[in-house]
Structures are given as C-alpha cells and as structure tokens.
C-alpha cells in the first residue's frame, strides 16, 4: 500500500540518505496529507491496541479491523479531548513504576518534562525512541531546505549553544529530564551530525555538564577555537544565543587568554568537562590576538555584527525565533549584523509539529508546514469573542475539532495531538493560524499560547497582546540609546482596583520622563475592549511599570534552573503569579511608574 511506504521513514530516522531523498519524501507525504494522517492514526491505534486508556473509551471495539476513515470517525467520536491534567494520573502511575500497558503497549522507560502547556510547574510526558527519531527527521528535513538557500561546507562545524539538564530517576526508576536532554544523549544526535555533515564544536561532556554558566563558557571557547570552521550558529530557542553573547561581552578577555595559552579558565571546575576541553584546546597566540583585536573594535560599536566578525565563515544564525522568542529579535539582529536570521522548527515536548520550508523569510513571517506522519493532528476552530460580551471565562469561542484535511486558510485553531507516545486527543494549548498550504499540508503561523495571561476583570490579554504592547512602549527607548533586555508582568489583584504590572530590565541610562512616557504608551496600547472599558471606568487601575536592576532576569533564569529547568528549553514567563518570582522582581525593582493614560 502506498501509504505504508510513505510512513516507512517513521520507523527509522536515518532511512533517507540525502537531502534530495528526504525532501522528496516530504513532498510525497505532504501531497497526501489527509490520507497519511488517517494512516498515522491507524498505526498509533494498532500499536497501542488494548491499552488501558483506549479500552476505557473504545471498549471492545477493534479498530484494527476497520478502514482508516472509519477509525478516524469512531476514534474522534468516542475518545474525549483532554488536557494534561486528565492524563496526569495515568502518567503518574507510569512514573511510579506501573509497567502494565496503560497508555502504550511498549513499556515507557523515559519521561520528559514539558513546559509547553503551562507556566510554572513542569509536567511529565512520555518519551520514546520515536521522539528522538522524529527530532532527527525534522532536523534533517529542515537542513535540506536550508541548504538550498544557504549552502554550508560539508564537514564544517556548528556553534551550538545547547544544554542538557540533570536527568533523574522517578520513584518507579524511569529516567526523567527535558526532551532536549534525552535527545542530546541519544544515538540520533550523533546520526544527525553525520547525515547533515556538520559537527558540533563542543563534546558531550560540555553539553551535559549540568552547569549552564560553565557550559556557556566552554561553548564560546571552543566556538572561537574552531572559529574558521564554524558554518552557522544555533540554539534551540533564541534566548540561548542572546544569553551566550551577553556572557561573552563579560568573558572575552578570559577566553582569549585560554586560547593563547591552550588552557581552560579556573572558573571551569567540573573535572570531566575540564579534561574534555583541555584535550581539544591547543595554544594559539596568533588566533588569540586576532580575536582580541576584533573584540576591541566590537566593544566600540556596542558589539554590532559580533557574529560575522568573530565567525567570518558563518552563513546564518538559526534558532526558534517566533512566539515568545520574538522580543529577542532586535538583539539577535544587532549581533548577526549582515547575516540572515533563520527561524527554526515548531514543536513541543509532546510532538514535533511543523517545519520552516522557507528559510529566507524574516522570522516575523515564518510559517510551519505540518509533518503529517509525526502525530495525528486535530484543530479546534477558535473565534475571538464578540467584543461586548462579558459572559463566561472563555478567551475564545470554540467549534468542533476538525482533521488536518479540513482546516481553512485564515482561521485560528488550537492544536490537538494524538501521539505515538500515548497522548490521545491532547490539547497542546497553542493557538495557530492557517496561512496556506504546502501541497496538501497546512502551513501554520504560530500565534500564542492559548492561556490568557493578563486578566483582572472582564479584560482578556494573551502573551501576544502583551508582547505587542511592550514592543510599542519600548520603541521610545531606542531614541535614547537604551534597550529592553527582558520583561515579564503580573496582574496585581491585592489592592483595589487591580492593575497590570510590567517589569522591565533595561540596558543604558534613560531619564525618568522617558520611562513615564513608556508606561503611559503601554497602558494606552492594550486594545482589548474589556481593558479599555475597565480603564475608562477605573475598575482597572493605571498600569505600573517597574524597572528592575541589571541582572534580574539572570536571577530568574537561575531560579528556574534551580527548579530543574534546562537552558535549552527556557522561556522567560511573560506573566507570573509565582510568589518566589514576584519576590525576586520586587526586591530588584529600582524605579516605579504609574501610567497617566486615561486620567
Ligand atoms: P516545551 O514544552 O518546553 O517543549 O515547549 C514547547 C512550546 O514552545 C510549544 O508548545 C510552543 O508554545 C513553543 N514553541 C515551540 N516551537 C515554537 C516555534 N517555532 N515558534 C513559537 N513557539 C514555539
């Protein structure tokens, strides 16, 4: 059967040897996306036939006897849509060592920590070999499309700011850690380097040290040691690159000294990592003085164009730059200078979703073509509420979910996943818009996390709304040689009327008058009708802008890393009610402003 062949690559990520093979495979599966999706669902249900969770909903119905269309209709009518909380009791039993077939027939031995659907508390989701294989597959597919526009030299190196977090054992003895951590430790990570003929600068001991500050130092040191071989610079999320270069501005002299002497700074204390790096770095005074001269020049231009000047053969900077990473674009562009920014794939710990087929597009315009073999995808149509409605708590009005083959261009949807790893009709919590099609598969524009982040009264604002408002407010800083480093927010409900608090860390000196203007501009820029009306009637108080001291967001990162997060998957929470976080923010606040808009 044709679809069997289409799906064959799923069994083995290294199935296709060349870029040509993998792109033509994708052309075939995307042309038949509807059929491939039904077949993917059939395979998931066949593989997990009889597991406790499916039995609960499907009873004794044997879907393996049905044709693919019938399976789709029976499955979606009998199995309910769920959130992580609904599956948590099942996953917890797996974590505690119950080896009966609960969600999958294959025993789950590894769990990933996902941040995808929540802020704050991390959640376990099953991780299997299939997860690493699809990671390999999407990376190779993306590399194939990138190579058409920005070819790189075979055998070159990648400066990858990647970080494994510590893995630990659950009560039942399963290995737990972030999905990226599992991937970096997998065979597929090695295969990817061989198949894409690009090799990471840092050895495994650096990636997996578990101390992100020491790892960043060694990535930078090795990246510069292999300077002429580096073909591109990357991290999982753009934040990783931004934080690495912020550290570089402080560390460059020490790094140059290490290159000159073939040594490793005493700040690297982890013995395995020290040894691994010392085995690579050899004294190179000529290279060290060349880098020193470049850095001295760069310092005078506020590090503009740092990437092409330090890595003269780099072709581009590559990372996830969409969604909550968009606020870092300005900084990335500053560092990338003339080099293109290439926005990376769309996925989550639960499943990879789509690939960027047009690497030359600026990150603001990037879309992701859904890969129909990775999971079975459904889409819940979402409609923005009538502006005058104050009914209910829902941010959007929902319609019945539709399969991938029935999505419409211009419509917004929440994504629902059925995965090979045992998640059935699982609401991911991401809002996307269908912007078009690649062959028969939809291209998605990432809009935001579904969850409302700022709401005091009848107002409703998402992460995207906040992002736009902060962008407007911070534009005023650029006229004053200052820049926004990072931001977050909270809804202050203790004192009446409640109000929004936005925290900014800025680099550069700005007069109070300007910050007052920024505060007013942000307050006036929320367009949500509920907010505007509440502000006019003062049932929501004036927006408060808190300026925090330099280094505050680094403290926030450290706080999350301390709680087990990995830098590779870290995303600054754009709104928080976490008491510890609010405490850090309050202690670090050096100036406060209240908006005069609406007064
Ligand atoms: P995690 O659970 O830590 O793996 O994070 C997954 C979440 O990150 C997704 O559900 C999205 O909200 C976000 N994300 C992942 N890839 C992208 C992307 N390319 N653009 C925007 N947001 C993304």
């Amino acid at each position: 059967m044709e679809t069997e062949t289409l799906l064959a690559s799923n069994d083995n990520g290294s199935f296709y040897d060349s870029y040509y093979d993998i792109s033509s495979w994708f052309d075939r599966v995307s042309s038949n996306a509807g059929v491939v999706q039904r077949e993917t669902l059939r395979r998931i249900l066949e593989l997990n036939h009889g597991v406790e969770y499916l039995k609960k909903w499907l009873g004794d119905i044997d879907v393996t006897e049905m044709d693919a269309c019938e399976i789709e209709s029976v499955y979606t009518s009998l199995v309910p849509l769920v959130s992580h909380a609904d599956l948590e009791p099942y996953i917890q039993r797996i974590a505690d060592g119950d080896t009966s077939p609960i969600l999958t027939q294959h025993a789950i031995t590894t769990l990933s920590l996902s941040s995808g659907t929540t802020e704050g508390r991390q959640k376990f989701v099953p991780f299997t070999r299939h997860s690493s294989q699809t990671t390999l597959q999407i990376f190779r597919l993306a590399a194939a499309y990138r190579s058409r526009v920005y070819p790189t030299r075979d055998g070159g190196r990648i400066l990858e700011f990647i970080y494994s977090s510590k893995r630990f054992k659950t009560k039942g003895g399963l290995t737990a850690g972030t999905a990226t951590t599992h991937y970096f430790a997998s065979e597929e990570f090695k295969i990817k380097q061989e198949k894409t003929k690009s090799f990471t600068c840092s050895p495994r001991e650096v990636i997996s040290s578990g101390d992100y500050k020491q790892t960043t130092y060694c990535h930078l040191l090795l990246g510069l040691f292999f300077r002429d071989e580096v073909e591109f610079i990357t991290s999982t999320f753009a934040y990783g690159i931004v934080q690495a270069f912020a550290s570089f501005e402080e560390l460059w002299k020490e790094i140059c000294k290490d290159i000159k002497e073939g040594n490793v700074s005493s700040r690297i204390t982890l013995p395995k990592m020290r040894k691994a790096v010392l085995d690579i770095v050899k004294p190179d005074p000529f290279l060290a003085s060349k880098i020193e001269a470049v850095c001295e020049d760069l310092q005078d231009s506020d590090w503009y164009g740092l990437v092409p000047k330090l890595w003269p053969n780099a072709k581009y900077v590559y990372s996830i730059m969409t969604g909550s990473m968009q606020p870092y674009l300005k900084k990335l562009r500053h560092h990338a200078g003339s080099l293109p920014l290439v926005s990376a794939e769309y996925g989550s710990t639960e499943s990879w979703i789509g690939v960027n087929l047009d690497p030359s597009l600026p990150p603001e315009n990037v879309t992701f073509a859904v890969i129909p073999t990775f999971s079975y995808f459904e889409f819940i149509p979402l409609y923005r509420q009538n502006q005058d409605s104050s009914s209910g708590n829902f941010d959007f009005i929902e319609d019945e979910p539709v399969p991938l083959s029935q999505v419409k261009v211009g419509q917004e949807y929440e994504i629902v996943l059925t995965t090979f790893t045992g998640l059935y009709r699982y609401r991911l919590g991401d809002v996307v818009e269908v912007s078009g099609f690649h062959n028969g598969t939809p291209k998605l524009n990432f809009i935001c996390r579904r969850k409302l982040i700022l709401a005091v009264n009848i107002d409703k604002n998402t992460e995207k709304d906040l992002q736009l408002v902060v962008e407007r407010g911070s534009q005023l800083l650029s006229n004053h040689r200052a820049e926004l480093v990072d931001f977050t927010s909270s809804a202050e409900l203790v004192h009446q009327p409640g109000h929004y608090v936005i925290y900014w860390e800025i680099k550069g000196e700005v007069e109070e008058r300007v910050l007052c203007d920024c505060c007013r501009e942000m307050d006036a820029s929320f367009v949500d009708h509920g907010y505007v009306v509440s502000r006019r009637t003062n049932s929501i108080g004036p927006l408060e802008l808190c300026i925090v001291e330099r280094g505050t967001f680094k403290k926030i990162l450290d706080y999350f890393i301390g709680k087990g997060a990995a830098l590779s998957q870290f995303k600054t929470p754009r709104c928080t009610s976490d008491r510890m976080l609010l405490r850090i923010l309050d202690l670090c606040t050096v100036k406060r402003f209240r908006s005069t808009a609406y007064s």
Side-chain angles (χ1 to χ4, degrees):
M1 189 180 178
E2 171 71 357
T3 45
E4 286 289 350
T5 336
L6 294 176
L7 290 170
S9 62
N10 243 353
D11 296 331
N12 178 358
S14 56
F15 188 78
Y16 293 109
D17 271 335
S18 70
Y19 283 160
Y20 173 77
D21 288 344
I22 196 151
S23 328
S24 52
W25 163 78
F26 186 60
D27 272 342
R28 287 202 309 281
V29 290
S30 57
S31 301
N32 296 291
V35 178
V36 171
Q37 272 284 274
R38 283 194 287 276
E39 206 53 41
T40 301
L41 177 64
R42 187 177 67 75
R43 296 235 339 191
I44 294 173
L45 297 181
E46 260 173 18
L47 284 172
N48 296 315
H49 179 60
V51 300
E52 182 184 322
Y53 185 79
L54 287 175
K55 256 194 171 157
K56 175 173 173 183
W57 300 108
L58 297 175
D60 290 330
I61 298 174
D62 185 359
V63 289
T64 56
E65 302 283 296
M66 300 175 182
D67 73 43
C69 287
E70 227 182 319
I71 294 177
E72 189 173 44
S73 125
V74 168
Y75 175 72
T76 54
S77 56
L78 294 181
V79 177
L81 292 173
V82 290
S83 63
H84 188 277
D86 300 305
L87 293 184
E88 202 157 7
Y90 298 90
I91 299 175
Q92 195 57 52
R93 277 171 52 206
I94 297 172
D96 291 345
D98 187 337
T99 52
S100 62
I102 300 174
L103 293 172
T104 54
Q105 281 294 354
H106 259 97
I108 302 279
T109 56
T110 311
L111 291 172
S112 291
L113 286 162
S114 155
S115 64
T117 51
T118 44
E119 275 94 38
R121 201 161 67 90
Q122 292 181 306
K123 294 176 170 180
F124 282 135
V125 294
F127 181 97
T128 64
R129 183 88 200 276
H130 182 269
S131 319
S132 289
Q133 286 175 342
T134 52
T135 304
L136 168 62
Q137 210 166 346
I138 197 168
F139 284 1
R140 293 196 53 222
L141 183 59
Y145 277 89
R146 280 201 315 279
S147 73
R148 293 179 184 180
V149 191
Y150 306 116
T152 52
R153 196 176 50 83
D154 284 355
R157 288 191 183 263
I158 321 170
L159 170 51
E160 294 191 273
F161 294 105
I162 49 179
Y163 304 81
S164 295
S165 61
K166 288 227 158 56
R167 297 208 277 183
F168 58 93
K169 292 282 179 198
T170 65
K171 188 175 143 199
L174 281 78
T175 307
T178 57
T180 41
T181 301
H182 299 322
Y183 172 67
F184 298 143
S186 72
E187 197 52 28
E188 280 73 15
F189 179 61
K190 252 196 254 159
I191 299 175
K192 187 212 76 169
Q193 303 190 53
E194 282 149 22
K195 295 282 177 193
T196 59
K197 300 189 181 71
S198 303
F199 299 87
T200 194
C201 290
S202 300
R204 193 160 274 185
E205 292 80 354
V206 170
I207 299 165
S208 65
S209 88
D211 178 321
Y212 84 89
K213 288 179 187 155
Q214 296 195 33
T215 295
T216 301
Y217 185 93
C218 293
H219 280 326
L220 289 163
L221 170 61
L222 294 167
L224 284 167
F225 185 72
F226 293 119
R227 175 184 197 227
D228 291 333
E229 294 172 49
V230 170
E231 293 289 308
F232 67 95
I233 290 174
T234 185
S235 66
T236 312
F237 286 93
Y239 178 82
I241 299 178
V242 170
Q243 79 80 31
F245 291 147
S247 307
F248 183 71
E249 292 178 19
E250 320 268 306
L251 296 169
W252 65 274
K253 285 191 180 145
E254 214 169 313
I255 291 176
C256 287
K257 185 168 173 281
D258 280 351
I259 294 177
K260 187 171 163 193
E261 296 168 359
N263 204 348
V264 179
S265 155
S266 59
R267 69 170 72 230
I268 308 305
T269 54
L270 298 165
K272 275 194 196 148
M273 180 157 66
R274 267 195 84 80
K275 180 173 180 320
V277 179
L278 278 169
D279 284 348
I280 298 171
V281 185
K282 303 282 169 287
D284 193 340
F286 179 67
L287 176 63
S289 58
K290 231 170 32 180
I291 297 170
E292 242 162 21
V294 174
C295 288
E296 264 149 27
D297 272 359
L298 280 168
Q299 251 185 334
D300 296 337
S301 60
D302 193 25
W303 302 93
Y304 177 81
L306 169 158
V307 178
K309 285 185 185 137
L310 285 174
W311 290 278
N313 295 319
K315 313 290 186 297
Y316 52 85
V317 175
Y318 171 60
S319 191
I320 294 176
M321 299 171 185
T322 34
S324 61
M325 295 297 125
Q326 223 165 316
Y328 304 116
L329 277 178
K330 204 167 164 192
K331 193 74 195 174
L332 275 182
R333 286 203 164 100
H334 183 81
H335 282 150
S338 56
L339 285 190
L341 298 184
V342 180
S343 198
E345 286 48 67
Y346 173 32
S348 63
T349 301
E350 290 84 345
S351 169
W352 279 105
I353 297 163
V355 62
N356 172 9
L357 299 180
D358 203 345
S360 58
L361 283 179
E364 290 86 346
N365 301 339
V366 158
T367 60
F368 306 98
V370 177
I371 303 187
T373 57
F374 280 4
S375 287
Y376 175 71
F377 300 97
E378 291 173 81
F379 297 83
I380 303 175
L382 300 175
Y383 302 94
R384 307 245 167 197
Q385 279 213 16
N386 177 345
Q387 295 279 296
D388 291 326
S389 159
S390 56
S391 61
N393 294 319
F394 296 109
D395 44 348
F396 292 96
I397 294 172
E398 296 182 358
D399 211 338
E400 288 301 309
V402 295
L404 175 145
S405 55
Q406 285 174 29
V407 297
K408 300 217 160 47
V409 174
Q411 175 64 49
E412 287 185 342
Y413 298 93
E414 180 184 345
I415 296 187
V416 175
L417 301 169
T418 295
T419 69
F420 282 89
T421 56
L423 306 176
Y424 302 98
R425 306 198 82 208
Y426 172 100
R427 303 174 78 128
L428 184 62
D430 283 351
V431 179
V432 295
E433 182 195 39
V434 174
S435 66
F437 285 87
H438 172 79
N439 298 326
T441 202
K443 290 203 288 187
L444 309 177
N445 181 4
F446 181 90
I447 304 289
C448 60
R449 300 266 182 94
R450 164 120 191 220
K451 202 167 167 257
L452 283 178
I453 63 162
L454 277 170
V456 167
N457 187 3
I458 55 164
D459 50 312
K460 300 173 177 68
N461 283 295
T462 62
E463 180 167 338
K464 181 83 180 176
D465 299 320
L466 173 69
Q467 211 167 292
L468 290 172
V469 160
V470 169
E471 212 172 286
R472 295 269 315 248
S474 60
Q475 263 164 18
L476 304 177
L477 295 178
S478 32
N479 305 333
H480 297 266
R481 290 182 58 82
E483 63 179 281
L484 184 64
V485 174
D486 221 331
F487 67 94
T488 187
S489 69
S490 70
E492 214 285 57
L493 305 172
V494 178
H495 302 100
Q496 288 304 318
H499 69 278
Y500 294 178
V501 186
I502 298 184
Y503 299 88
W504 277 10
E505 178 175 329
I506 45 187
K507 187 176 169 193
E509 285 305 314
V510 194
E511 287 168 43
E512 300 212 341
R513 176 183 56 82
V514 177
L515 293 170
C516 262
D517 290 348
C518 295
C519 179
R520 195 184 50 236
E521 181 67 26
M522 287 198 286
D523 200 9
S525 299
F526 279 102
V527 290
D528 166 58
H529 189 64
Y531 186 76
V532 174
V533 168
S534 307
R535 282 291 291 116
R536 280 197 195 127
T537 55
N538 205 32
S539 50
I540 294 183
L543 183 140
E544 183 175 356
L545 169 63
C546 292
I547 306 297
V548 295
E549 64 194 20
R550 285 301 305 277
T552 303
F553 280 83
K554 196 119 193 178
K555 283 187 192 154
I556 291 176
L557 170 68
D558 287 339
Y559 165 64
F560 279 101
I561 299 271
K563 288 206 311 182
L567 182 54
S568 274
Q569 279 172 245
F570 179 74
K571 303 164 203 81
T572 300
R574 295 299 179 206
C575 182
T576 186
S577 51
D578 179 311
R579 281 173 56 194
M580 261 312 285
L581 202 57
L582 287 172
R583 217 175 115 71
I584 299 175
L585 288 163
D586 266 346
L587 287 173
C588 296
T589 295
V590 287
K591 282 178 193 158
R592 290 174 193 273
F593 303 89
R594 287 302 283 266
S595 157
T596 52
Y598 299 101
S599 54

